[in-house]
Amino acid sequence: MKKLVAFALIGTLAVSLLTGCGQSGSEKDSGSSANESGSDENSGDGSESKSGGSSGKHTIAASIPLTGNLMQYGISYQNALKMAVEDFNAAGGLNGEDVILEINDDKGDQKEAINLANKIIEEDDVFAVVGSFGSSVSMAAAPVYQKASMPMISPNTSHPDFPGMGDMLIPVSPIADIERTATAKMLYDQFDGKDLAILHQNTDLGVTGAQILTEVYEELGGKVVMTDNFVPQQTKDFTPLISKIKEAKPGILYIDGEYNDVANILIQIDNIGLDGVQIAGPGNVFKQEFLDIAGEKANGIVLAGTTPVYLDSIMQVADYTDYLKDFTTRYNEKYPDTPCDGFAASAYDSAMLAMTAAKNVGTDDPKALVEEMLTVPIEITSGKNMSFENGNNVVKDVFVYTVIDGEFAPYDY
């Protein structure tokens, strides 16, 4: 058994916006889309409308994966979006009028996301769109929304190029530069600048993240002895890659991927053996499902991300806001089969950000709506200390955790 490490890192990042919660609603289904409005007790920050009167448009659309390999993330998004709309409407909606939620299934596919974007921009009542999961899909559809001056709020797109694609795009997750830069510095300082190997998923963000991590680590004086990749959700046998890592003899291995791939890599590392190597990874794995798969094989792994862990074991000891805790409790009560995580929180914040801005300035002027969102007129559930810098680049603190006895724990360093 090798020693793994997981940590909760806190630093400043850029790019994001968030908030919201709720209960009860109405739904309209039309093939790949569904509409919903609702009611409960919480809405954004409770600020009063700056525009007064009713808003011209009332629909917030979503383009999310509800079928295909990424559907688990789409379901978290859908749950949180419904909850946000219900909470917002229960608190008064758009100056007394309900917001309608339209949900579209983009299947996690770039072409489908583009097709849906072209459909959504033609709908007269839509004032903003939330979507999608993954940088590749979001960035494929982004030019359509930008050209049509349709505000696009993306919960988890962290590719460094996304904010620069247009002034109508609002990311809620900080760009990868921030998390990877903070991670590189932490690994270099915490583990004496040992040689680093990087194993990443073969996606746009995976490739970019590996480049950033390499550049920063080597600028600090460290050495990256190997970089390789795998196909997310498809590669099952990681033993050839692990054998290459063993030959490179790193002191640290950073694994960048979604929770199930990272967990399976850890299991195969445990079977093969990779002695004396510190394991690290991204905030993507801040999920109970990761622990369910990897268990104690994840002990010692160091994990850094800009969204926190939402599990009860962490909630009891972490310095989280009452708002975040309340959101988590209500979400888990409402959706016990899909526990709260950073994806749900980011989607909730995305919807709440758009709706609160619409309440404040109306929906007639898309640019004014975006400008209001950039002021972050809400309290967030998807992190800590969010703000925007240099236009639409979001900044948040970084959390670092480790795994002890098969459970997440704060990592102090």
Side-chain angles (χ1 to χ4, degrees):
M1 173 78 88
K2 72 286 149 199
K3 179 175 180 180
L4 302 177
V5 182
F7 53 163
L9 169 70
I10 297 187
T12 303
L13 307 179
V15 181
S16 189
L17 25 110
L18 320 83
T19 291
C21 286
Q23 181 178 336
S24 110
S26 66
E27 188 169 314
K28 162 188 161 190
D29 200 338
S30 57
S32 64
S33 68
N35 290 358
E36 159 168 330
S37 63
S39 64
D40 197 80
E41 304 171 358
N42 248 337
S43 108
D45 61 349
S47 59
E48 296 183 3
S49 170
K50 298 175 183 176
S51 60
S54 63
S55 180
K57 300 178 180 180
H58 301 83
T59 298
I60 183 167
S63 176
I64 57 179
L66 293 175
T67 55
N69 291 335
L70 301 174
M71 65 178 293
Q72 67 230 44
Y73 303 105
I75 291 171
S76 290
Y77 279 6
Q78 178 176 244
N79 291 344
L81 291 171
K82 288 181 177 181
M83 188 171 168
V85 170
E86 291 166 359
D87 286 352
F88 186 81
N89 287 340
L94 290 177
N95 305 307
E97 298 181 1
D98 280 353
V99 169
I100 298 169
L101 173 62
E102 174 191 299
I103 296 176
N104 301 275
D105 178 16
D106 64 25
K107 302 177 176 61
D109 179 80
Q110 295 181 15
K111 290 183 179 179
E112 186 67 19
I114 293 171
N115 291 336
L116 283 175
N118 282 302
K119 176 186 83 74
I120 290 169
I121 63 173
E122 294 299 323
E123 297 174 1
D124 293 338
D125 197 50
V126 175
F127 64 85
V129 62
V130 175
S132 178
F133 177 81
S135 295
S136 298
V137 179
S138 296
M139 292 172 71
V144 178
Y145 296 117
Q146 175 64 30
K147 184 176 181 180
S149 293
M150 172 69 72
M152 176 190 185
I153 307 93
S154 186
N156 294 103
T157 298
S158 55
H159 194 289
D161 292 343
F162 180 70
M165 293 181 69
D167 58 2
M168 302 306 292
L169 312 178
I170 309 294
V172 169
S173 290
I175 58 176
D177 300 51
I178 296 172
E179 182 176 310
R180 297 304 185 273
T181 297
T183 298
K185 291 178 178 177
M186 185 275 298
L187 292 176
Y188 183 83
D189 294 340
Q190 193 69 10
F191 303 107
D192 302 321
K194 292 180 179 179
D195 289 352
L196 174 66
I198 301 172
L199 182 58
H200 64 88
Q201 57 185 339
N202 189 13
T203 62
D204 288 344
L205 182 59
V207 171
T208 302
Q211 292 172 343
I212 296 167
L213 191 60
T214 297
E215 291 171 3
V216 176
Y217 199 78
E218 292 184 340
E219 286 175 0
L220 293 169
K223 182 178 180 181
V224 176
V225 294
M226 191 200 93
T227 301
D228 213 328
N229 66 81
F230 59 89
V231 180
Q233 314 295 329
Q234 295 184 36
T235 300
K236 303 302 180 185
D237 182 6
F238 296 96
T239 54
L241 290 169
I242 297 170
S243 296
K244 290 175 66 175
I245 294 167
K246 291 181 71 173
E247 292 176 5
K249 298 180 179 179
I252 308 168
L253 169 61
Y254 183 84
I255 307 171
D256 186 6
E258 302 304 330
Y259 75 89
N260 48 356
D261 285 329
V262 176
N264 286 325
I265 292 171
L266 293 180
I267 291 170
Q268 293 182 40
I269 285 176
D270 186 69
N271 293 336
I272 296 173
L274 196 60
D275 296 333
V277 179
Q278 173 62 53
I279 311 296
N284 293 10
V285 306
F286 290 174
K287 295 173 68 70
Q288 178 61 46
E289 291 91 332
F290 168 72
L291 299 177
D292 292 342
I293 298 171
E296 294 192 356
K297 292 178 174 60
N299 285 349
I301 188 171
V302 179
L303 303 167
T306 56
T307 55
V309 168
Y310 294 83
L311 301 178
D312 288 342
S313 57
I314 295 294
M315 287 284 169
Q316 295 171 7
V317 298
D319 182 23
Y320 293 170
T321 65
D322 290 340
Y323 185 75
L324 188 156
K325 292 178 181 178
D326 175 70
F327 161 75
T328 304
T329 299
R330 293 191 302 112
Y331 180 95
N332 287 335
E333 289 175 350
K334 191 173 181 67
Y335 305 108
D337 295 332
T338 54
C340 186
D341 58 19
F343 302 108
S346 295
Y348 183 88
D349 287 348
S350 296
M352 197 61 74
L353 187 71
M355 294 184 295
T356 303
K359 179 183 70 173
N360 291 346
V361 301
T363 57
D364 292 337
D365 185 345
K367 289 190 179 297
L369 184 58
V370 168
E371 289 175 2
E372 179 67 9
M373 282 190 254
L374 294 177
T375 69
V376 195
I378 61 168
E379 187 172 359
I380 67 168
T381 67
S382 61
K384 188 176 181 181
N385 295 330
M386 186 177 82
S387 62
F388 286 91
E389 296 180 352
N390 302 318
N392 59 348
N393 286 277
V394 70
V395 178
K396 288 181 183 175
D397 285 353
V398 177
F399 298 85
V400 184
Y401 301 90
T402 187
V403 175
I404 300 174
D405 296 329
E407 299 291 341
F408 288 119
Y411 182 80
D412 299 320
Y413 68 99

